[in-house]
Amino acid sequence: MDLKDQLKNLFPDHEVSEDEEKTMAKENKLWLQDDPILCKYEKRKGKPITILEGYTGADSDFKKLAKELKTTLGVGGSFKNDQIIIQGDYRSQIMEILKEKGFNVKRVGG
């Protein structure tokens, strides 16, 4: 149950205007590209990491995506040099999340 559903339960008489609906839709929209996002696995200093690269949209969209992935998985990570770096080997979960969002994802290596 997301915040929108909770607010509907608390305020059943409230009707959402078109302007509010458009702003909510814009917040969740990320630019989808035709080329696949590459999902790699590496070890740095003996620790596994997952790297996502190949996104051609705006950096702000890619940063939002990085934050959403990190909070969904409950792990740390960063955004550097047009790459999302997630701590740990979460390739399968990340690929599922991105495919649900409509992205084309390609697994690279192993």
Side-chain angles (χ1 to χ4, degrees):
M1 179 180 272
D2 63 348
L3 183 61
K4 188 175 178 182
D5 294 333
Q6 291 176 0
L7 289 172
K8 282 183 184 178
N9 289 339
L10 292 173
F11 304 103
D13 298 333
H14 178 71
E15 295 179 12
V16 179
S17 68
E18 290 180 24
D19 293 334
E20 289 179 54
E21 205 167 284
K22 287 179 184 176
T23 56
M24 286 190 289
K26 285 182 182 177
E27 290 175 2
N28 295 331
K29 295 278 183 174
L30 295 173
W31 186 76
L32 300 177
Q33 63 186 24
D34 295 332
D35 297 333
I37 294 178
L38 303 177
C39 187
K40 297 182 191 178
Y41 170 77
E42 285 185 15
K43 279 194 174 184
R44 292 188 182 170
K45 297 182 182 177
K47 299 187 180 191
I49 60 168
T50 304
I51 299 174
L52 297 173
E53 61 183 14
Y55 187 72
T56 58
D59 283 346
S60 61
D61 288 347
F62 210 37
K63 287 179 183 179
K64 287 179 190 176
L65 183 62
K67 181 170 177 120
E68 188 173 329
L69 287 172
K70 290 188 298 184
T71 55
T72 303
L73 297 171
V75 297
S78 64
F79 175 81
K80 293 180 184 176
N81 302 327
D82 295 332
Q83 294 180 337
I84 297 175
I85 301 170
I86 303 290
Q87 296 173 356
D89 184 11
Y90 292 98
R91 286 177 290 180
S92 57
Q93 292 101 322
I94 290 172
M95 289 177 68
E96 287 176 20
I97 292 169
L98 292 176
K99 284 181 182 178
E100 287 174 7
K101 291 188 171 293
F103 285 100
N104 186 9
V105 185
K106 185 174 182 181
R107 188 177 183 142
V108 177

